[in-house]
Amino acid sequence: MKLAPSILSADFSRLGEQIEALARGGAEYLHLDVMDGHFVPNISFGVPVVASLRKEAERRGLNLIFDAHLMIAEPAKFVAPFAEAGADIITFHMETCENVDEARKIIDSIRTQNKKAGVAINPDTPIEPLLRLANHIDMALIMSVNPGFGGQGFIARTLEKARILRNHAPNLDIQMDGGINLENFERVLESGVNIVVVGSAILSRSDIEAATSAYTGKR
Ligand code: DX5
Ligand code: ZN
C-alpha cells in the first residue's frame, strides 16, 4: 500500500511545511488535485503551484512522487505544462474523451514526456474503459466521490469496480480517491486498491505527521 495525501484541504499559505509533515509521516506520493471550474464545479490550483512545490520539495530534501490528478477539460493541452512543472504521474479523466482511442493518444503524449500515465473514472462511469486500457496505463484511478470537493462522503459501491479491475490486472497500480478515512481504509485495501488518496482526513488535522502515520503505520 502506498499513501497519496491530497493537499486540496491543506492550508495553502503553509504548503512547504505541510508537505514536509506528509513526507515525515511516511507518505510516498503527493496527490495534486487540479480543477478548472469547468470539468468540475470548483477551481483549485494549477501549473505554477505544482512547479513551486516541486522546487520546495527538492529544497527540503523530500522524496515525494508528484501525482497530478487533472480534473480539467481538454487535458491533452496541459500534458506538457504539467510535465515541465515536475509531475511524475499525470492522470486525466476518461469522461473528457470521446472514446478509448482518444484516451490512448493522451496516454502516448504523457509517455512521450517520460511521465507515467493514469486514467481516472467518476463514480458513475463504468469500469469497461479501464479494462480496455489496463495494458496501456501505469495507474488507474477509481473515484469514490464525485470530483470537485474535498471532505465528501465515501461512495462504497465504487469498491466493486476496484475488485473487477484487480482481477483483470493483477499488477496494475490502482488508486482510489475521495472520502477515505481510517474507518473505510481497510475495505479500500481489500478491494485491491494499492494507492490510497486521503485528503481532509489528514490535512484538516492539526498534527499532519501523526495523522499520516496513522495510515502508513498500518503496512
Ligand atoms: C476530489 C479530489 C480528491 C479529494 C480527496 O475531487 O480528487 O482528491 O478531494 O479529499 P478527501 O479525502 O477529503 O475526499
Ligand atoms: Zn484527486
Side-chain angles (χ1 to χ4, degrees), residues 5 34 116:
V34 176
K116 291 194 168 173

Side-chain angles (χ1 to χ4, degrees), residues 159-181:
L159 290 169
E160 184 58 19
K161 290 194 279 187
R163 284 186 207 108
I164 294 167
L165 184 58
R166 177 54 74 214
N167 277 335
H168 177 83
N171 300 316
L172 181 66
D173 277 337
I174 304 179
Q175 187 175 61
M176 185 164 270
D177 181 10
I180 301 174
N181 53 39

Side-chain angles (χ1 to χ4, degrees), residues 151-200:
Q152 302 183 77
F154 182 72
I155 301 175
R157 63 182 157 79
T158 59
L159 290 169
E160 184 58 19
K161 290 194 279 187
R163 284 186 207 108
I164 294 167
L165 184 58
R166 177 54 74 214
N167 277 335
H168 177 83
N171 300 316
L172 181 66
D173 277 337
I174 304 179
Q175 187 175 61
M176 185 164 270
D177 181 10
I180 301 174
N181 53 39
L182 284 172
E183 270 167 34
N184 53 32
F185 181 64
E186 296 293 342
R187 268 197 299 157
V188 170
L189 295 182
E190 281 161 18
S191 74
V193 167
N194 67 313
I195 305 178
V196 182
V197 177
V198 181
S200 52

Side-chain angles (χ1 to χ4, degrees), residues 39 69-75 91-107 118-134 137 139-143 147 161:
F39 176 68
H69 175 195
L70 305 187
M71 287 164 275
I72 62 175
E74 300 189 76
T91 298
F92 63 95
H93 268 262
M94 190 63 218
E95 297 82 7
T96 66
C97 299
E98 287 283 338
N99 51 41
V100 165
D101 290 336
E102 188 183 339
R104 289 279 303 270
K105 286 191 188 137
I106 303 175
I107 293 162
V119 176
I121 56 168
N122 286 342
D124 291 333
T125 300
I127 192 67
E128 279 67 27
L130 288 184
L131 298 177
R132 290 179 60 195
L133 289 169
I137 56 180
M139 188 175 81
L141 167 49
I142 298 177
M143 292 300 301
K161 290 194 279 187

